[in-house]
Amino acid sequence: MCQPLQSVKLLVFILFFGMSSMVLSQDSLVSVNLEAVLKLGGANNLTIKEYKLRHELALADFMKAKEWWLPDLYAGTSIHQLWGNAMNGNGAIFTDVNRQSFWGGLGVNASWDFGTGLFLTDAAKLNTQAVSFATEAEQNKALLLTIEAYYDFLVAQLYAKEYSQLAKQAGIIAAQIEIQVGAGLLYESELLLAQSNFNHLKVQMMSARMEQNNQAALLIQLLNLDPKTQLVCVDSLLVPIELKGVETGINVSSSIESVYKKRPELKSMDLNLQALNAAKKTTTAGLLLPKFSIGGYGSYFGGVFSPVSPTSEINASLIWTVPTGRLIYAGELKQYDCRIALQENQISQTKARINKGVLSSRAQILLAKQQLDIALAGSKLAEKAMDQCLQRQALGTVRPFEILQAQEVYIKSRLDYLTSVSLYNKAQYRLFVAEGNNL
């Protein structure tokens, strides 16, 4: 009596997910693996783009700073007309003046403030290099997030696949038990348990698909893809990796000092510190340097268009400035000292975070490897138990519910293994970056 109803439910369930798949297929489908994700992440990630633009801005600032020594050229004409009063050089006022003049020529003005131009140009150059390393560091962070998101998405996809297969098998077994209950061979309670288990696995499958959608959305965000994109991992297997350059043992050969030298964020911060020290020289050694200015022109000058005669002029000055505010209060110097102290403090904080990251990543890999070995052993045991159940099924000495239980234990052990592999691989990449390597 219950069989037609259960068949209808199963049919509706299959149709529902079939229609969902048809709807999803209408959107753009993008197949990805880890290599494609890294390529797309490097090209499309908005954080990486932002820091590349910052590097271009720093380079433009450096180009601007280098302009300090170049003169200004000018050329053109001017006409002067005055009616009324004019003051003479000795202060006398002349009235009813009608004065006209014409000037046409070209000239040059140059001013070299050696105390600021030299040192600020050095500071701008160092800032450009600092931003380059900061871009490198942010790219590593962004790609590491993308790698972790990819593994989470792959695991979620494999979870959904495993639960889908398990739910399908549970539905078949529930139908078999229903027939046996109708024939009086099994109790109805066994059918109820089988149907309840079938529904439970459907819920687990739906949860896995929701998690897959969530992880896909995160990956689409990190890759800056069209929101309508539907992602699917072409990797059907998840296997442990061993990255070159990653030291996973307890007694590693690389010291933390060698890690410091490789980390791009520390290189960036050290260059920023050098830039601050270079800029600080404008308030110390720069005060001893003069400001040299020179200007001149060659022109025709005289009445409006006639008579005009060749006229030239040249002016030059060499000036030392004594800023009394600097001598009394030294406010700008103190500002630089504070900025330098803050930068040194931030470098120390960054080193402490690097210490934590390296030690934590190395410990995580060791534990993840142990977890991976345990999960693999458990998966093999569950697979062996399931094979024995299938052999007993061929002999007719196993109940359907036992097969389902064996398969469920096997799939759960497989999921444990997949999770362990994902954690191990992500820990590998985290340590790879933590030890100063670039993705």
Side-chain angles (χ1 to χ4, degrees):
M1 295 176 62
C2 298
Q3 184 176 0
L5 180 59
Q6 293 299 324
S7 300
V8 171
K9 288 183 178 179
L10 183 59
L11 179 61
V12 171
F13 177 71
I14 295 173
L15 288 175
F16 172 76
F17 283 102
M19 292 176 65
S20 299
S21 300
M22 291 176 62
V23 172
L24 293 179
S25 65
Q26 294 175 1
D27 293 324
S28 57
L29 185 65
V30 176
S31 300
V32 293
N33 56 16
L34 185 57
E35 181 181 359
V37 163
L38 288 174
K39 185 176 180 180
L40 287 170
N44 297 342
N45 186 276
L46 294 178
T47 301
I48 295 175
K49 285 185 177 181
E50 176 188 344
Y51 275 84
K52 287 182 178 179
L53 290 173
R54 289 188 182 187
H55 180 250
E56 292 180 9
L57 176 59
L59 186 60
D61 291 339
F62 176 49
M63 294 295 105
K64 176 63 178 175
K66 288 172 64 176
E67 296 175 4
W68 74 276
W69 64 275
L70 295 173
D72 294 327
L73 303 176
Y74 61 91
T77 62
S78 67
I79 296 176
H80 172 74
Q81 175 69 56
L82 182 143
W83 296 280
N85 297 346
M87 179 179 287
N88 197 12
N90 63 1
I93 301 294
F94 295 91
T95 60
D96 298 327
V97 175
N98 184 1
R99 186 173 68 193
Q100 309 89 26
S101 66
F102 167 82
W103 182 95
L106 55 88
V108 58
N109 283 325
S111 180
W112 293 287
D113 189 348
F114 298 103
T116 59
L118 291 172
F119 301 123
L120 291 184
T121 301
D122 286 343
K125 181 180 179 180
L126 291 167
N127 278 327
T128 301
Q129 297 171 355
V131 174
S132 177
F133 283 114
T135 301
E136 197 174 287
E138 290 301 321
Q139 178 167 314
N140 284 333
K141 291 179 183 178
L143 291 179
L144 183 58
L145 286 175
T146 303
I147 290 171
E148 293 184 348
Y150 169 77
Y151 275 115
D152 290 341
F153 175 55
L154 176 57
V155 168
Q157 178 176 290
L158 295 175
Y159 266 42
K161 180 180 178 181
E162 296 285 357
Y163 275 116
S164 177
Q165 293 176 352
L166 189 58
K168 179 179 178 181
Q169 186 63 35
I172 295 173
I173 291 176
Q176 293 174 350
I177 293 176
E178 187 174 6
I179 295 173
Q180 292 176 336
V181 169
L185 300 176
L186 295 175
Y187 293 105
E188 185 181 8
S189 59
E190 294 186 87
L191 174 60
L192 296 175
L193 287 174
Q195 292 173 342
S196 175
N197 186 67
F198 177 43
N199 288 333
H200 168 71
L201 291 174
K202 287 192 292 184
V203 170
Q204 293 294 103
M205 182 185 66
M206 292 177 186
S207 297
R209 290 192 176 183
M210 285 190 288
E211 180 63 18
Q212 179 182 348
N213 291 335
N214 291 337
Q215 295 300 332
L218 175 60
L219 193 54
I220 288 171
Q221 175 192 346
L222 293 173
L223 298 178
N224 191 30
L225 300 176
D226 190 311
K228 295 182 180 179
T229 301
Q230 295 297 323
L231 291 180
V232 59
C233 290
V234 295
D235 293 327
S236 58
L237 296 175
L238 186 57
V239 295
I241 61 171
E242 297 293 339
L243 293 177
K244 293 182 179 179
V246 174
E247 299 188 63
T248 59
I250 297 177
N251 298 318
V252 293
S253 60
S254 61
S255 67
I256 197 66
E257 289 297 329
S258 66
V259 172
Y260 290 159
K261 293 178 181 179
K262 293 169 62 179
R263 288 292 290 258
E265 55 265 61
L266 279 180
K267 294 179 182 179
S268 174
M269 298 179 78
D270 183 63
L271 286 166
N272 281 327
L273 182 61
Q274 294 180 44
L276 284 171
N277 281 306
K280 177 185 173 181
K281 291 180 180 179
T282 59
T283 67
T284 54
L287 298 179
L288 303 177
L289 300 177
K291 180 178 181 180
F292 177 64
S293 300
I294 187 170
Y297 65 81
S299 70
Y300 279 90
F301 178 74
V304 177
F305 304 125
S306 179
V308 292
S309 302
T311 305
S312 299
E313 181 180 338
I314 187 169
N315 299 289
S317 65
L318 186 65
I319 305 295
W320 278 266
T321 301
V322 181
T324 56
R326 160 69 176 83
L327 297 176
I328 297 173
Y329 296 108
E332 190 174 6
L333 177 61
K334 292 177 181 178
Q335 287 177 333
Y336 277 114
D337 287 339
C338 288
R339 293 191 185 104
I340 289 171
L342 286 171
Q343 184 70 8
E344 290 173 342
N345 182 270
Q346 290 176 0
I347 290 174
S348 297
Q349 292 183 42
T350 301
K351 286 183 176 180
R353 286 194 294 270
I354 290 174
N355 294 344
K356 175 182 177 297
V358 171
L359 295 176
S360 175
S361 297
R362 287 173 178 170
Q364 286 178 5
I365 286 184
L366 292 175
L367 292 174
K369 185 65 170 63
Q370 294 175 12
Q371 181 181 0
L372 181 62
D373 294 339
I374 294 171
L376 179 60
S379 176
K380 290 181 178 179
L381 291 173
E383 182 179 12
K384 184 177 180 180
M386 188 184 70
D387 290 340
Q388 291 181 2
C389 283
L390 294 176
Q391 293 173 5
R392 289 172 57 202
Q393 183 186 31
L395 299 174
T397 59
V398 66
R399 302 172 68 179
F401 204 67
E402 291 182 72
I403 299 175
L404 178 61
Q405 288 178 323
Q407 289 178 331
E408 185 174 358
V409 170
Y410 170 67
I411 289 182
K412 285 182 177 180
S413 66
R414 282 286 303 162
L415 297 181
D416 287 341
Y417 177 70
L418 292 175
T419 302
S420 300
V421 173
S422 175
L423 292 174
Y424 180 72
N425 289 355
K426 289 191 292 186
Q428 286 266 326
Y429 279 102
R430 279 195 293 270
L431 182 56
F432 184 79
V433 173
E435 291 185 341
N437 300 297
N438 292 323
L439 293 172

